[in-house]
Amino acid sequence: MNKKILALIILIISSTKIYAAEKKSILVSQPVYKPMEFYVYKPSNKKLAKTFYVTYDGYLVYKNRDKIWKYGTYEKNKGVKTDHVVGSVVPSDAGIKPYDKKASSVAPIVETANANNTNNAPEKENPAIKNYPTDWTQNPDFMQISNWKKSIDRIGVINSPFMPVAWKGDHPETVFVWTGMEWRQISVRGSENPLNAVKRDAYNLAKIINGSNIKWRAGDSVILGQYTGYWGYKWLGEIILTGE
């Protein structure tokens, strides 16, 4: 693992402990991405509208009339609402300016659980943030992909099985799929579409992933999207595998 990624992980861990100690963490759910939950806190800045909260990666968020969490951008010392849904974009890529620039230098703190409560107010308070960072952020077998510039240039998450996938260019020779234990290599045949190569190996992938007992979560995808930008790769988001 290179020094940049190692430093990033250490910063995430240390900032998580600081936030848990100094700020009252609140766990909220995102109804459009069930079961996605993430932590926010109420800023002490009285100039901000009361509807704004701050995520642990430093961005303003608010809940609209449809009970959906969206981003706010911080401009000229004011919070301005945007239409970007939390979980649908990497905020830095969408031009959203952070409220806390120091916190925005790390990946967002996101957890997933049963997101059934969609009241206007934050759903539940959590005095301590547990089990974060997620395991893969501390797994060198996963994180080695940050150095695979010669082998990949884009990362996404396939919907079935629900796991990260990566390859390079429009006509790659190899597609890499995370199984929970390792990056499985799938050879692409001739002019075959890389997603067809994944579908061709879907049965074997499902067996391996089910055997690992490791679940990829919606919140993990949000975090991975942030890392992907830091690593200099293209983020593909969720990729829907359709039938032949």
Side-chain angles (χ1 to χ4, degrees):
M1 185 184 300
N2 63 31
K3 294 181 180 179
K4 180 179 179 182
I5 299 303
L6 181 59
L8 180 60
I9 293 173
I10 294 173
L11 182 57
I12 292 172
I13 297 172
S14 61
S15 64
T16 299
K17 293 179 180 178
I18 292 170
Y19 281 133
E22 296 183 356
K23 296 182 174 71
K24 196 172 186 179
S25 61
I26 304 170
L27 185 63
V28 299
S29 64
Q30 178 62 294
V32 293
Y33 291 109
K34 293 182 180 180
M36 173 184 171
E37 294 185 337
F38 58 99
Y39 288 101
V40 298
Y41 67 90
K42 192 66 178 175
S44 59
N45 188 344
K46 295 182 180 180
K47 294 182 179 180
L48 286 175
K50 293 182 179 179
T51 54
F52 281 119
Y53 290 79
V54 183
T55 64
Y56 280 88
D57 56 331
Y59 290 93
L60 294 174
V61 293
Y62 69 97
K63 182 175 278 190
N64 70 4
R65 292 181 179 179
D66 297 321
K67 303 175 183 178
I68 296 172
W69 287 94
K70 294 189 174 184
Y71 281 109
T73 185
Y74 192 62
E75 299 180 357
K76 298 180 179 179
N77 297 322
K78 292 182 179 180
V80 180
K81 294 180 178 179
T82 77
D83 286 328
H84 293 293
V85 176
V86 175
S88 67
V89 298
V90 176
S92 57
D93 291 346
I96 299 172
K97 296 181 180 179
Y99 171 76
D100 185 341
K101 293 182 179 180
K102 291 183 179 180
S104 66
S105 65
V106 301
I109 296 175
V110 180
E111 290 253 352
T112 57
N114 294 324
N116 297 319
N117 192 330
T118 55
N119 295 328
N120 285 323
E123 293 82 3
K124 48 190 173 180
E125 296 181 356
N126 195 346
I129 299 173
K130 299 178 180 180
N131 300 323
Y132 193 83
T134 47
D135 291 343
W136 58 268
T137 65
Q138 301 180 73
N139 186 339
D141 290 331
F142 185 99
M143 299 298 282
Q144 65 180 323
I145 199 172
S146 65
N147 293 318
W148 289 1
K149 299 294 191 299
K150 294 182 179 180
S151 301
I152 70 168
D153 64 3
R154 63 200 69 186
I155 300 174
V157 177
I158 53 176
N159 67 320
S160 181
F162 192 39
M163 278 291 178
V165 63
W167 67 82
K168 185 170 185 175
D170 296 330
H171 303 287
E173 296 182 357
T174 305
V175 177
F176 301 89
V177 181
W178 178 246
T179 66
M181 297 179 291
E182 64 178 359
W183 285 101
R184 180 176 173 81
Q185 299 183 35
I186 302 174
S187 297
V188 179
R189 299 172 179 172
S191 59
E192 183 181 32
N193 183 291
L195 295 181
N196 287 339
V198 175
K199 287 189 288 185
R200 173 165 46 81
D201 198 46
Y203 177 75
N204 291 327
L205 280 172
K207 287 180 60 178
I208 296 170
I209 292 169
N210 290 337
S212 72
N213 292 319
I214 295 177
K215 303 294 184 183
W216 189 261
R217 307 172 301 176
D220 291 327
S221 297
V222 179
I223 301 169
L224 180 57
Q226 191 81 9
Y227 271 106
T228 298
Y230 295 141
W231 295 335
Y233 299 136
K234 179 181 179 180
W235 175 238
L236 301 177
E238 184 173 347
I239 304 168
I240 306 299
L241 292 183
T242 58
E244 295 290 349

